[in-house]
Amino acid sequence: MAGSVNKVILVGNLGADPEIKRTQDGRPIANLRIATSDTWRDKNTGERREKTEWHRVVIFNEGLCKVAEQYLKKGAKVYIEGQLQTRKWTDQSGVEKYSTEVVLQNFNSVLTMLDSRNSGGGGSFGGDDAGGDFGSSGPSSAPPRRAVAAGARANSDMDDDIPF
């Protein structure tokens, strides 16, 4: 195969407040725990069932770390796009361990806050213009959201008179 794709898209809720650490040179690293849930009706009993999957998310992008630190709280609904990465590490007893995480870094990462209760209006960071209230549970009086590319300038040159 000539090319490959490593892309993860998650829509879920934070299980805890973001954990912010700093590198030796002061750059932030944000760790998130995101829960995604699947619900279905049991064919035999008719009961409603739910399965929750937990995802480790690590943000290396400095701008997205600042957003996570300032605006995200436990329970917040978020949309993220990143890549899977597995890292190898040794625990205190000398045993080698592996950890697979969703990593947001560089320009191909997106973090969108989907509910407005945490930030007073929601917001999208890292991608194209936000597509309305995707994932919200009802009508919102939040102002229109504007996306900001991770490390890129605002998209003001797209405001022209082309009719399509």
Side-chain angles (χ1 to χ4, degrees):
M1 180 176 196
S4 60
V5 176
N6 179 357
K7 184 171 189 166
V8 176
I9 297 174
L10 294 175
V11 176
N13 296 84
L14 267 63
D17 287 350
E19 180 184 323
I20 308 296
K21 296 181 179 179
R22 304 238 176 238
T23 61
Q24 290 180 347
D25 59 353
R27 289 179 297 173
I29 297 173
N31 290 294
L32 309 176
R33 292 183 315 182
I34 297 180
T36 57
S37 296
D38 189 19
T39 58
W40 70 95
R41 190 164 302 279
D42 188 299
K43 291 181 182 179
N44 297 329
T45 64
E47 288 182 58
R48 192 160 198 75
R49 302 275 183 173
E50 181 175 3
K51 180 182 179 194
T52 300
E53 197 70 41
W54 288 93
H55 310 274
R56 294 175 182 220
V57 177
V58 181
I59 304 173
F60 292 107
N61 180 293
E62 194 168 342
L64 296 181
C65 281
K66 287 180 184 178
V67 169
E69 185 175 26
Q70 290 179 358
Y71 299 109
L72 294 182
K73 300 287 180 222
K74 178 180 178 179
K77 184 175 279 298
V78 293
Y79 169 94
I80 64 155
E81 289 183 24
Q83 295 180 311
L84 277 182
Q85 282 188 10
T86 301
R87 61 184 172 92
K88 181 176 152 182
W89 51 282
T90 306
D91 69 6
Q92 293 177 342
S93 61
V95 178
E96 287 185 348
K97 305 253 180 168
Y98 293 87
S99 182
T100 300
E101 303 159 327
V102 178
V103 175
L104 280 68
Q105 62 186 356
N106 301 330
F107 297 102
N108 56 352
S109 300
V110 176
L111 166 63
T112 304
M113 296 176 288
L114 295 177
D115 51 7
S116 61
R117 65 183 171 159
N118 296 319
S119 63
S124 175
F125 301 90
D128 296 330
D129 283 339
D133 288 326
F134 174 76
S136 67
S137 58
S140 172
S141 61
R145 294 186 257 179
R146 177 134 179 107
V148 179
R153 60 180 172 75
N155 229 1
S156 61
D157 60 336
M158 297 299 272
D159 210 13
D160 53 17
D161 296 326
I162 298 176
F164 54 89

